Amino acid sequence: MAPDSSPVTVIGAGIAGLACAGVLRDAGRAVEVLDRGRAPGGRLASRTVRGRPVDLGASYLTAGEGSPFAAVVAGWVDRGLARPWTDTFAVAGPDGLRDRKSGPLRYGTPGGSRSLAADLAAGLPVRPGTTVREVTTGPAVDGRAVAAAVLAMPGPQAARLLDPSSPAGRLAAAESWQPALAVVLGWDARRWPADLHGAFVHDDPAVEWIADDGDRRGDGAPVLVAHTTAALAAAHLEDPAAAVPAVVAAVRSALGIDAEPAWTEVHRWTFARPAAPREEPFGLAGGIGLCGDGWHAPAKVESAWSSGTALGRALTR
């Protein structure tokens, strides 16, 4: 690993990369965060659709009681960046609503989940719109070599940047990820139960999860976001729009909605979730660190934050 005086480059400005960079900065290390996107966020993704933010990636946050991440979430709640949402979701199938399922408290984000990434990025030197071509002893960034330490991204993406015969390359290549499509559906008025919050969809070939975006945002907008099965997404990665009719039909059937949506939009996630997240909190091999929700199982926002935080602490040591 590079000497303490050398800068650490974190590639990937999702929650894991930003958490890692924040730990390094707080420890006095020089750090730089590179991301090919237009703004920090990664799969904490929200987009302005029809004048309001809509979450397209992570649907909600949970935080283990008394965990370090719980303190972070409490701070977001205090500042209005997050809000307690619900501990109960519906269970649905192709034949309609079946049951309700309770679990941990979920938190939503009034300003969209990307606002949390923006908060973590505050005070960090983040360079959006930066493409990294290769990582060896240092990545070639737009033709310029820089020192690198951390790849905070899905394993298949990290593997593209690494020598496949290197220790880090082999670690990254061992990860398997599944795709998904996030389909936003808007109506002229709310046409589903007021206490829906969200629905896990079972036994449907098209949709696995439906979030009531107006409910989790707190503005009551008649907007749902459906996340597809991996099989449907894999069949439509080249033409995501072609999957929308099947998603609309599945959502209407599951929730008993009597009208077509007024509008739809679709977002493709080639790497949406790890097929088998690792139990280890992070990977560190050959001077390159790997972190994200492919580590620190089970895969969720808290896991990604914990993975990046743990790797940052390991690097400071």
Side-chain angles (χ1 to χ4, degrees):
M1 187 57 61
D4 285 352
S5 60
S6 65
V8 177
T9 299
V10 177
I11 304 169
I15 191 168
L18 294 170
C20 182
V23 170
L24 292 167
R25 174 201 58 199
D26 293 346
R29 292 293 300 271
V31 64
E32 179 180 45
V33 183
L34 311 178
D35 195 274
R36 67 180 182 179
R38 290 177 293 179
R43 276 166 293 121
L44 277 184
S46 47
R47 178 194 301 166
T48 299
V49 179
R50 309 292 170 117
R52 63 183 294 279
V54 176
D55 285 336
L56 301 174
S59 290
Y60 50 78
L61 313 173
T62 59
E65 185 176 354
S67 70
F69 188 61
V72 175
V73 174
W76 284 332
V77 171
D78 287 345
R79 290 182 287 131
L81 295 175
R83 61 184 287 269
W85 178 22
T86 182
D87 64 356
T88 302
F89 291 132
V91 178
D95 53 346
L97 294 170
R98 299 175 177 175
D99 199 358
R100 300 181 71 79
K101 182 178 180 181
S102 295
L105 177 63
R106 281 83 167 189
Y107 295 84
T109 51
S113 58
R114 193 185 294 275
S115 65
L116 305 182
D119 185 63
L120 291 176
L124 287 171
V126 179
R127 290 176 51 197
T130 303
T131 300
V132 177
R133 307 293 183 187
E134 181 183 12
V135 174
T136 51
T137 53
V141 183
D142 297 332
R144 179 177 64 87
V146 299
V150 173
L151 278 71
M153 62 187 68
Q157 291 180 312
R160 294 172 181 173
L161 307 180
L162 296 164
D163 179 347
S165 65
S166 69
R170 291 194 295 270
L171 266 182
E175 288 185 28
S176 176
W177 283 62
Q178 298 174 334
L181 304 177
V183 181
V184 188
L185 308 98
W187 278 264
D188 56 350
R190 296 173 65 83
R191 297 174 179 270
W192 48 89
D195 60 348
L196 176 73
H197 308 307
F200 300 110
V201 183
H202 296 173
D203 310 317
D204 191 282
V207 171
E208 288 188 346
W209 160 251
I210 305 167
D212 184 337
D213 198 68
D215 188 65
R216 70 178 167 190
R217 183 82 59 246
D219 63 0
V223 176
L224 300 174
V225 180
H227 292 255
T228 70
T229 62
L232 185 75
H236 293 88
L237 285 178
E238 297 305 316
D239 185 13
V244 171
V247 173
V248 170
V251 170
R252 290 187 60 193
S253 178
L255 303 186
I257 298 175
D258 60 1
E260 289 285 309
W263 53 269
T264 61
E265 292 202 14
V266 60
H267 181 84
R268 174 182 61 198
W269 293 104
T270 303
F271 304 111
R273 51 187 174 267
R278 303 167 188 260
E279 295 293 334
E280 300 87 352
F282 57 84
L284 188 56
I288 300 295
L290 304 169
C291 65
D293 58 350
W295 300 83
H296 218 293
K300 52 186 179 179
V301 174
E302 180 173 11
S303 302
W305 180 89
S306 298
S307 175
T309 298
L311 177 56
R313 289 172 178 165
L315 295 177
T316 63
R317 293 194 294 270

